[in-house]
Amino acid sequence: MSTTSGSQRYSIAGVSKLTGVSCHALRVWERRYGFPEPERSPSGHRRYDIQQVRVLRMVSDLVHQGQAIGTLMAKVRAGHLLADEAGESYDDAVESSRAESPASELLDLLIDGDRAAAEAWFDDHAARLGPLDLLAEVIEPALVEIGDRRYRGECETFQEHTAGRFLRNKLDRMLDEARRRSDREGPPRGMVLVGTAQGNPFDGGILMISVVLELAGWQAVDIGVDLPVEEFAKAAQAWTPDALAISFLLSRNINKRFAELSKITGLPIFVSGRSILNYQSLARGRGLTPLSGTIRSTAAMMVAELECRRIARDA
């Protein structure tokens, strides 16, 4: 079905994949700003049309350029950000991404309990994709989608946990391989402490960041999940890393956490995760460096910033 007809509708997971905006952020924007305005399927699931997808893609790009989400949403409501500005060629990009993602195929196997088929599927894709592409095209979207499926009631808790553990085991293996490769190539370019803040018990994000850092030649030291900020401060004082990288999947008490983190001085503090998109200005106001978007864009921004600081330090 042609996307230019206006009849095609996209699920929230599909819109997240197309725009780089997390499902959580889409729901928050809908509640807080009144946009997007999805229709509801007979079963109650959100469905978005192509015009909204176009505008969301523009908003996502502008947010990544540093513009405030509140200001952008005001422009959307006033009609100053129009779908046509995205260009008709965007339809082709949407059409090419409309098919079921590889992550969905893998999750279907895991939810069905077919572990052997899931292992074979993953090994086949791992053999054809480099580690960064494997993260971006399979693991990250699978971690997002399995949580969304559980939220929508499309799988049971035990199925979500099984799929999540499978993906985390693969990340552990990728991290081991990245560290061995880094060790062969010589001393690390520096050290980054990674972890999740108090109230955030999920480690998928920091595992992905650790893989990317090690592949880029930086030592990633995982100090754990659900940590009080004082533990990050103690680790920074004891080990004098080049940076901290802290993941926020959930946004509860985020203002308080940012205030606590701002008291750690002398090194950059990167904050990432699905919750950060709506709190970038708040993070910058506290002297933190927000990283939003996909693991590919987040990692690129962080590594580039680390390299700039390393060059300045060694000059």
Side-chain angles (χ1 to χ4, degrees), residues 37-71:
E37 299 179 87
E39 298 176 359
R40 293 282 181 164
S41 70
S43 58
H45 295 156
R46 290 172 171 83
R47 293 293 181 263
Y48 303 78
D49 62 30
I50 182 62
Q51 287 77 19
Q52 292 188 85
V53 174
R54 286 177 174 175
V55 172
L56 286 166
R57 180 57 180 266
M58 284 196 298
V59 169
S60 176
D61 289 344
L62 292 169
V63 166
H64 289 159
Q65 294 171 26
Q67 296 195 35
I69 183 62
T71 301

Side-chain angles (χ1 to χ4, degrees), residues 9 117 155 214 291:
R9 296 294 183 269
C155 70
E214 291 285 350
L291 302 172

Side-chain angles (χ1 to χ4, degrees), residues 196-202 225-227 247-252 275:
T196 74
Q198 188 172 2
N200 290 265
F202 306 104
V225 299
D226 199 14
L227 288 176
S247 177
F248 288 84
L249 181 62
L250 305 175
S251 59
R252 64 173 68 102
S275 290

Side-chain angles (χ1 to χ4, degrees), residues 133-147:
D133 288 336
L134 190 62
L135 287 178
E137 298 178 22
V138 176
I139 293 181
E140 181 180 34
L143 285 169
V144 172
E145 185 176 336
I146 191 59

Side-chain angles (χ1 to χ4, degrees), residues 103-112 141-142 145-146 149 163 167:
S104 297
E105 299 173 20
L106 175 60
L107 292 180
D108 287 343
L109 294 172
L110 291 168
I111 286 173
D112 288 343
E145 185 176 336
I146 191 59
R149 287 194 189 193
L167 295 166

